[in-house]
């Protein structure tokens, strides 16, 4: 037998007692009552690892790269003991026919029981042939694999929203996966890439509790995407105080003031960076002096420069930000008023002149 | 009614005969008008400073709260603004028929169109005289509807949606207005629309105040005093 | 097109056509087709990039200061190198000078990428071409321990350690759920390691997986995250503050200590695990010297790691610059990215359109217009179901870059060769290579091979791990002398820019020579072109039907089993292909 979830927990120093406690907590939180705890314990001790098929479309592989950075759990433990990473082109030993066969077998053997994890997205232009795998359009493979999946995880900005290749003018018509997969629960884990521990956190949540995490309106797990960077940013006191970096590398930058005026998108970005932080908690963009660029938000590439606070409104076709459009309108109104007032005064003066003249 | 007939009936409305005085704006409308004007002043200034903050202050962060106060002023005024708007809606039902004007555009009424054209020509110096109105002239009416009624709804929806982001998922602001954010394409876009809304309103205010002063002097009816006393007096 | 000769290779596409697609353990989507003669020797090779995203098209009209973030997303494996190339291109166009510390920090980040990327490549993308995981089950842990201790001082080497690991591996295999190791080529006769060496390598596969996540923390400290740290036109975004209040959030003493500890540990891991493993594995394969491809004829490097800021001349670059053509190692040609005669891209066999395809285009005038057309007399299949491509027609999403008309190999082997032939400037490279050759008891010519490429990568990692320490010392010395500047904002505002400007930026990415060419007009990007290492190496044929480095490297290699492409993978992997990069 392979190492089960229980074995892994044990190896990580968790006692049998706390394991059983964990099982009864799980049972209660699932609304099953404590009588179910032994069953859950049994399942965790013996259940085969859940197969995961990880597909890659148009992407940059940084979601995979991020995934392997996980510090808790260690990626090694995830792969060897928690799940069965049965198809993952970037890591798997087999290639070509042998890889294709592996995919077919897993789909058949675990029909309805595997998790499909998708990194990247399918392009739809040129009949999908901007991304070819095994001579076929990636979108076909994606749809076929999704059809028998239990649940789907959309890794990163690519799978969730389209990301950089979908930025204007999106020449390949790169399309978020929820637009081509239907009838399956989809968990979006956005970010470019997402934080490693958020990725493994989402997966282990699904394995541990055998359900999909609670999602927000945009389909993201609330537990990691429920708050903005700004809500938990450690520079927030400087924001409230009105203390900003005014220029790169100025005194305020050296004092760690708020990066709002440098275009920080923390106030409009939902992600766990300011709490979980990156790479085992070492830092996150703002801590290292650059504003958040909003990499976990939909379409963040097309929302104006990363360094502007008041950003572009794309509905205006040409690039224009609210202050430019509005300021121009207000200034035009002011100028029009001045001219109109002068003309009106002139007219009134003329009128009273004629009136006096008539008298 | 065709346009000409409509124009004739406007010119000869006995209610607006020279020298007549009519009670138009009831107390709550007038009170709301001035409170609302004040709110907008505070909201526009504080809102602008939220988008483009003042130069940094010095000293410890804990000893300063400039941005906090500015945002507080914004949110406080925002609540007054929103509550005032709700009360104003109530008064549209409870008050006289002039109180309802702000919320409806009589686009099917030929008289209104005739008046609109006349008013436009008046502002283009193509008419010697405007028509007289007990309530709002059609041009003012149109602008008020778009840049006060519609804009207030936009500002309240986007504003409370943004406020809900700070209050957190599940707060009443989020539950009531949270849907706005994905609809507009995310938080950043919502900020942009909210910001743009400000400029719409500022532009309106400039034109509105100018028109009020000008009409008071040049039209055939009182204006500013009307929004103070509620009474409108007509001239020749 | 039947049989023909090019670059000293006899191409013959008459034999049995074998397709490998997808090529796994690489970045992105790559396909190869080869023709085997009756002895299963490769007589024709066709490599195809099978993805395109259009970053060059997407960049048009955007703010040049944002370009680094877009181009960085070309690849998450060589993360950061495109961003660095991009800020250098913009700085070149606008004549922006960066502070000395910004240069040092950029160097540290770039070197850090090398160490990380090379290590991950060796263990996680390449090792399984040499290491048989299943054979490790048969190893004697005690003898494995002896082997490990005989080649290195690395402490994790007791018999118990290897026994535990073997047990875990056993359980894993017995579960029947082999995950990423399923359905591979275990037992193929091309695997040569004894079980003990296999077990040791598997142990280090897992250790390296744990350790690689530590290495990148240098990016996290200076750039806020990895993958995809943050960069800045005019310097680096992180400020330095080692004395004053508020230093948290800036680079302070605690951060510097963390950097120091990571680069020290990285160096240790490379010296005590990576290099000994590499040498141990190589010693069993030194009879298998296929895969040299173009490396003995034409290699190219732009160089990188400027010792002093703002000086990109060859003499100031710690990674060598230059080109070798015609196999003449005695002559290192100067490389100029802006000379329209030197670098040109062809699209005769690529799915793009030029007005006149008989000529190549210099990247300043580069055009990227997709034109998907699988065709040719030997093409088999349909538009959306390709069975066989025809290399006489267009057959890849990769363009064909050429240097003075030559197909070039770029990458670690090219760089190490250019260092080797310039020993006065690069004594470390020369000495290390000589040491390795001596240890393995092979002649210099052995470098021109798959194994040579793999060894060059290890040698380079050692060099870079060492340079990291030196660059760190330089940073400390500058701070000590009171210099803490990290950004130059003089030309931050677009209002200070000329109406039109153009510039070229380069780095040596882990996989080879990387260039970005930018034209700026009215503060916006007017044209942006990238020519990327894997564009060079994975290049399809050109106007003269010259083959690219991948294709050349596969030529004349015998396969142990025609239906198991192990040797193909081995050689392709030695380049560390990155297809997202190649087509962008
Ligand atoms: C933020 C500033 C202001 C806003 C948003 C605003 C808005 C409005 C609105 C919505 C009405 C219609 C009232 C109703 O039907 O309930 C109105 C009427 C009026 N406002 Fe204002 N107002 C502002 C400032 C001012 C100021 C500063 C003045 C005076 C100089 C002024 C003078 C008037 C007058 C005279 C009327 C009556 C117009 C008429 O009789 O048709 N307003 N205003
Ligand atoms: C006339 C009405 C209003 C005007 C002119 C106005 C103006 C503004 C402006 C210009 C901003 C800055 C936007 C940016 O660049 O990010 C802003 C932000 C904001 N406004 Fe308003 N606003 C109005 C009404 C409201 C209302 C009714 C609310 C409801 C609570 C509200 C809540 C907010 C919030 C939450 C923010 C974001 C604050 C932050 O990011 O710290 N606003 N407003
Ligand atoms: N080819 C390539 Fe890269 C590298 N190294 C980039 O320039 O891998 Ni993604
Ligand atoms: S979401 Fe971003 S990080 Fe992930 S694959 Fe796409 S481009 Fe790379
Ligand atoms: S740095 Fe960004 S996220 Fe942090 S407080 Fe300032 S604006 Fe908010
Ligand atoms: S840029 Fe991305 S990594 Fe976090 S701080 Fe912002 S969401
Ligand atoms: Mg290119």
């Amino acid at each position: 037998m392979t190492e089960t979830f229980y074995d892994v927990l044990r190896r990580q120093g968790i006692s049998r007692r706390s394991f059983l406690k964990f099982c009864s907590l799980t049972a209660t939180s699932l609304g099953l009552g404590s009588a179910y705890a032994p069953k859950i314990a049994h399942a965790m001790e013996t259940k085969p690892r859940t197969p995961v098929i990880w597909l890659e479309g148009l992407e940059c592989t940084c979601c995979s790269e991020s995934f392997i950075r996980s510090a808790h759990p260690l990626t090694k433990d995830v792969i060897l003991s928690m799940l069965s990473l049965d198809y993952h082109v970037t890591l798997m030993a087999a290639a070509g026919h042998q890889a294709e066969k592996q995919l077919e077998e897993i789909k058949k053997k675990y029909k309805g029981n595997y998790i499909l994890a998708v990194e990247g997205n399918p392009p739809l232009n040129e009949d999908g042939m901007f991304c070819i795998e095994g001579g076929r359009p990636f979108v076909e493979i994606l749809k076929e694999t999704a059809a028998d999946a239990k649940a789907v995880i959309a890794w990163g900005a690519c799978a969730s929203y389209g990301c950089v290749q979908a930025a204007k003018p999106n020449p390949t018509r790169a399309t978020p996966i929820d637009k081509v997969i239907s009838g399956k629960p989809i968990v979006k884990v956005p970010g470019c890439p997402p934080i490693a521990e958020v990725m493994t956190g989402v997966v282990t949540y699904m394995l541990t509790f055998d359900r999909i995490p609670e999602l927000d309106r945009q389909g993201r797990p609330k537990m990691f995407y429920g708050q903005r960077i700004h809500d938990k940013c450690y520079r927030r006191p400087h924001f409230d105080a009105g203390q900003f970096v005014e220029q790169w590398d100025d005194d305020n930058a050296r004092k760690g003031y708020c990066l709002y005026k440098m275009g920080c998108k923390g106030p409009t970005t939902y992600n766990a960076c300011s709490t979980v932080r990156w790479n085992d908690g070492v830092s996150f963009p703002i801590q290292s002096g650059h504003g958040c660029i909003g990499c976990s938000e939909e379409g963040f590439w097309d929302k104006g420069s990363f360094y502007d606070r008041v950003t572009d409104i794309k509905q205006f076709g040409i690039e224009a930000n609210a202050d430019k459009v509005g300021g121009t309108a207000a200034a035009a109104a002011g100028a029009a008023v001045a001219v109109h007032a002068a003309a009106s005064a002139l007219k009134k003066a003329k009128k009273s002149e004629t009136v006096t003249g008539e008298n | 009614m065709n346009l000409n007939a409509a124009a004739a009936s406007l010119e000869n409305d006995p209610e607006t005969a020279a020298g007549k005085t009519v009670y138009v704006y009831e107390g709550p409308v007038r009170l709301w008008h001035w409170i609302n004007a004040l709110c907008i002043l505070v909201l526009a200034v504080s809102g602008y400073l939220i988008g483009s903050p003042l130069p940094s202050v010095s000293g410890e962060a804990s000893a300063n709260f400039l941005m906090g106060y500015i945002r507080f002023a914004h949110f406080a005024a925002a609540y007054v603004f929103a509550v005032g708007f709700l009360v104003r809606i109530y008064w549209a039902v409870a008050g006289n028929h002039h109180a309802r004007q702000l919320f409806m555009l009589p686009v099917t009424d030929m008289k209104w169109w005739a008046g609109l054209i006349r008013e436009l020509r008046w502002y283009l110096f193509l008419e010697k005289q405007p028509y007289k109105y007990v309530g709002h002239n059609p041009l003012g009416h149109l602008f008020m509807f778009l840049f006060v009624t519609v804009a207030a709804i936009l500002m309240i929806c986007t504003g409370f949606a943004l406020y809900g982001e700070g209050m957190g998922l599940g707060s009443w602001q989020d539950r009531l207005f949270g849907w706005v954010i994905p609809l507009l394409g995310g938080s950043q876009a919502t900020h942009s629309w909210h910001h743009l809304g400000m400029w719409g309103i500022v532009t309106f205010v400039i034109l509105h105040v100018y028109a009020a002063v000008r009409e008071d002097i040049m039209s055939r009816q009182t204006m500013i005093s009307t929004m103070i006393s509620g009474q409108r007096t007509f001239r020749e | 097109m039947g049989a023909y000769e090019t670059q000293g290779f006899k191409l013959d596409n008459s034999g049995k056509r074998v397709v490998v697609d997808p090529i796994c353990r690489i970045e992105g989507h790559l396909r190869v087709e080869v023709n085997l003669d009756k002895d299963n020797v490769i007589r024709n090779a066709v490599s195809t990039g099978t993805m395109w995203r259009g970053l060059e098209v997407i960049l048009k009209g955007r703010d040049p200061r944002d370009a680094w973030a877009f181009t960085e997303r070309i690849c998450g494996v060589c993360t950061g190198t495109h961003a660095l190339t991009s800020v250098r291109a913009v700085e070149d166009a606008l004549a922006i000078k960066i502070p000395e510390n910004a240069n040092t920090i950029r160097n540290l980040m770039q070197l850090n990428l090398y160490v990380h990327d090379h290590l991950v490549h060796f263990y996680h993308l390449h090792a399984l071409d040499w290491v048989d995981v299943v054979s490790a089950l048969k190893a004697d842990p005690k003898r494995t321990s002896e082997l490990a201790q005989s080649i290195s001082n690395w402490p994790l080497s007791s018999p118990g350690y290897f026994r535990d690991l073997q047990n875990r591996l056993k359980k894993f295999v017995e579960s029947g759920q082999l995950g990423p190791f399923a359905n591979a080529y275990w037992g193929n006769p091309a695997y040569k390691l004894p079980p003990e060496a296999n077990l040791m390598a598997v142990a280090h596969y897992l250790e390296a997986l744990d350790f690689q996540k530590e290495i990148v923390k240098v990016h996290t400290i200076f750039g806020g995250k990895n993958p995809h740290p943050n960069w800045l036109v005019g310097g680096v975004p992180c400020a330095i503050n080692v004395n004053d209040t508020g230093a948290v959030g800036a680079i302070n003493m605690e951060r510097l200590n963390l950097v120091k500890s990571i680069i020290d540990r990285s160096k240790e891991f490379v010296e005590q695990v990576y290099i000994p493993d590499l040498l141990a594995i190589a010693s069993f394969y030194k009879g298998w010297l296929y895969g040299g491809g173009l490396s003995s004829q034409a290699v190219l490097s732009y160089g990188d790691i400027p010792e002093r800021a703002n000086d990109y001349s060859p003499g100031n670059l710690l990674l060598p610059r230059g080109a070798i053509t015609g196999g003449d190692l005695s002559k290192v040609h100067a490389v100029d990215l802006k000379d329209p005669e030197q670098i040109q891209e062809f699209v005769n066999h690529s799915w793009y359109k030029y007005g006149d395809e008989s000529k190549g285009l210099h990247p300043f005038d580069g055009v990227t217009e997709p034109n998907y057309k699988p065709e040719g007399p030997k093409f088999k299949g349909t538009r959306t179901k390709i069975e066989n491509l025809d290399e006489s027609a267009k057959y890849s999403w990769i363009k064909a870059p050429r240097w003075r008309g030559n197909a070039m190999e770029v990458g670690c082997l090219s760089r190490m060769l250019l260092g080797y032939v310039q020993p006065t400037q690069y004594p470390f490279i020369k000495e290390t290579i000589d040491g390795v050759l001596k240890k393995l008891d092979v002649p210099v010519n052995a470098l021109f091979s798959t194994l040579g490429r793999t060894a060059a990568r290890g040698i380079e990692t050692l060099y870079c791990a060492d340079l990291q320490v030196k660059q760190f010392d330089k940073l400390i010395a500058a701070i000590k002398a009171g210099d803490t500047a990290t950004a130059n904002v003089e030309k931050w505002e677009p209002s200070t820019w000329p109406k039109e400007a153009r510039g070229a930026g380069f780095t040596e990415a882990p996989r080879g020579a990387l260039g970005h060419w930018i034209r700026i007009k009215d503060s916006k990007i007017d044209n942006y072109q990238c020519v990327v290492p894997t564009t060079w190496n994975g290049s399809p044929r050109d106007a003269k039907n010259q083959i690219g480095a991948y294709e050349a490297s596969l030529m004349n290699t015998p396969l142990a089993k025609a239906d198991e492409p192990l040797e193909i993978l081995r050689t392709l992997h030695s380049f560390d292909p990155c297809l997202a990069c190649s087509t962008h």
Side-chain angles (χ1 to χ4, degrees), chain A residues 58-64 66 119-121 155-160 162-165 190-194 295 300-301, chain C residues 53 73-76 225 227-228:
Chain A
L58 288 186
E59 42 86 49
C60 77
T61 308
C62 91
C63 291
S64 287
S66 188
E119 172 175 7
N121 52 30
W155 287 139
C158 287
S160 302
C163 206
V164 69
Q165 58 268 22
C192 192
C295 80
F300 72 101
W301 298 105
Chain C
R53 288 170 296 163
R73 270 70 183 181
I74 287 174
C75 183
K225 70 200 259 253
H228 296 338

Side-chain angles (χ1 to χ4, degrees), chain C residues 341-401:
Chain C
E341 298 304 312
Q342 296 195 15
I343 297 160
Q344 294 179 335
E345 287 190 304
F346 293 82
V347 296
N348 306 74
H349 295 272
S350 314
W351 287 316
Y352 301 93
K353 229 186 302 197
Y354 281 179
D356 172 7
E357 292 184 7
S358 65
K359 292 199 191 73
L361 294 179
H362 182 266
F364 269 140
D365 306 309
V367 172
T368 303
E369 198 187 333
N371 176 30
Y372 175 64
K373 245 192 210 154
E375 56 186 12
K378 289 207 161 190
F379 175 79
K380 270 205 243 148
T382 67
R383 212 181 127 71
T384 54
K385 191 154 185 9
I386 299 167
E387 279 159 41
N388 284 147
L389 288 161
D390 182 346
E391 61 276 18
S392 73
K394 290 182 186 273
Y395 66 92
S396 178
W397 281 119
I398 304 179
K399 291 181 182 174

